[in-house]
């Protein structure tokens, strides 16, 4: 795939960009970006259960975390199924209504801006995007988590030639007030070309 194509740009966000923004601006979005880098470098460990609580009457924090991790893992799998089936519409329906993507020349805020941002990636040359979560973690409060795994992008270039890209991804999830897990940020890093 051409390094300047919309698909390649979609998956490539330089780490140094996040680090410099976080140091210079200290904005919540910049701090979240830096936090995501820390997560990738040092995955969270699940909380330990309270040894004084009765296991028969109170579920342990580790048990609650495990259940939430399975929920976001399943949500990520369904996110992939919906994207494969419905393209852009399947992709967009998994994003939180309050999403704000940073790390770009201008932040992407709101549903219509999000649609416009991703329209090029799911344009006429798009064939498929599939992925599989290999790890799911949830922060101890149970309202924020992430999945990581591998993806495969398939498209056709303007000359009709098949183009493939593989790599790793990180999706950040938020538990919404309706009880559904929704995407608040998504990052990817393509494998080096051979």
């Amino acid at each position: 795939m051409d390094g300047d194509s919309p698909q390649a740009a979609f998956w490539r966000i330089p780490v140094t960009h996040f680090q410099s923004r976080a140091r210079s601006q200290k904005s919540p979005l910049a701090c979240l970006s830096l936090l995501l880098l820390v997560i990738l470098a040092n995955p969270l460990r699940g909380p330990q259960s309270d040894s004084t609580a009765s296991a028969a009457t109170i579920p342990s924090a580790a048990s609650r975390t495990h259940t939430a991790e399975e929920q976001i893992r399943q949500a990520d799998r369904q996110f992939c199924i919906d994207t494969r089936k419905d393209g852009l519409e399947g992709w967009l329906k998994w994003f939180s209504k309050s999403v704000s993507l940073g790390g770009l020349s201008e932040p992407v805020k709101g549903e219509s801006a999000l649609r416009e941002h991703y329209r090029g990636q799911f344009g006429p040359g798009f064939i498929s995007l599939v992925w599989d979560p290999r790890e799911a973690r949830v922060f101890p409060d149970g309202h924020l988590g992430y999945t990581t795994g591998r993806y495969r992008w398939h498209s056709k270039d303007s000359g009709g030639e098949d183009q493939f890209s593989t790599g790793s991804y990180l999706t950040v999830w938020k538990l919404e007030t309706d009880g559904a897990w929704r995407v608040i940020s998504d990052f990817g890093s393509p494998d080096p070309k051979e």
Side-chain angles (χ1 to χ4, degrees), residues 2-24:
D2 185 316
D4 295 326
S5 71
Q7 290 86 358
F10 171 74
W11 292 108
R12 220 174 276 131
I13 301 173
V15 170
T16 54
H17 176 77
F18 293 115
Q19 292 169 333
S20 64
R21 280 190 71 180
R23 281 192 298 268
S24 65

Side-chain angles (χ1 to χ4, degrees), residues 98 152-153:
S98 62
R152 183 167 193 254
W153 185 285

Side-chain angles (χ1 to χ4, degrees), residues 79-117:
F79 181 25
C80 179
I81 290 167
D82 291 347
T83 301
R84 191 167 193 187
K85 179 180 166 218
D86 299 324
L88 179 61
E89 295 307 314
W91 175 264
L92 292 174
K93 81 179 195 179
W94 281 92
F95 279 81
S96 172
K97 301 297 183 214
S98 62
V99 69
S100 178
L101 301 179
L104 308 166
S105 58
E106 291 186 30
V108 175
K109 295 181 182 182
E111 206 169 338
S112 62
L114 190 67
R115 177 177 300 283
E116 188 59 34
H117 175 72

Side-chain angles (χ1 to χ4, degrees), residues 6-69:
Q7 290 86 358
F10 171 74
W11 292 108
R12 220 174 276 131
I13 301 173
V15 170
T16 54
H17 176 77
F18 293 115
Q19 292 169 333
S20 64
R21 280 190 71 180
R23 281 192 298 268
S24 65
Q25 296 179 5
K26 302 285 190 223
S27 72
L29 191 54
C31 291
L32 175 62
S33 299
L34 187 56
L35 175 63
L36 293 174
L37 292 172
V38 171
I39 289 170
L40 285 174
N42 185 15
L44 297 175
R45 305 287 181 241
Q48 302 300 312
S49 62
D50 182 356
S51 61
T52 61
S54 166
T57 59
I58 302 172
S60 70
S63 172
R64 288 188 306 272
T65 299
H66 176 72
T67 301
E69 287 171 353

Side-chain angles (χ1 to χ4, degrees), residues 110-129:
E111 206 169 338
S112 62
L114 190 67
R115 177 177 300 283
E116 188 59 34
H117 175 72
Y118 286 118
R119 186 179 315 274
Q121 285 85 25
F122 291 92
F126 172 76
I127 294 175
S128 69
L129 171 61

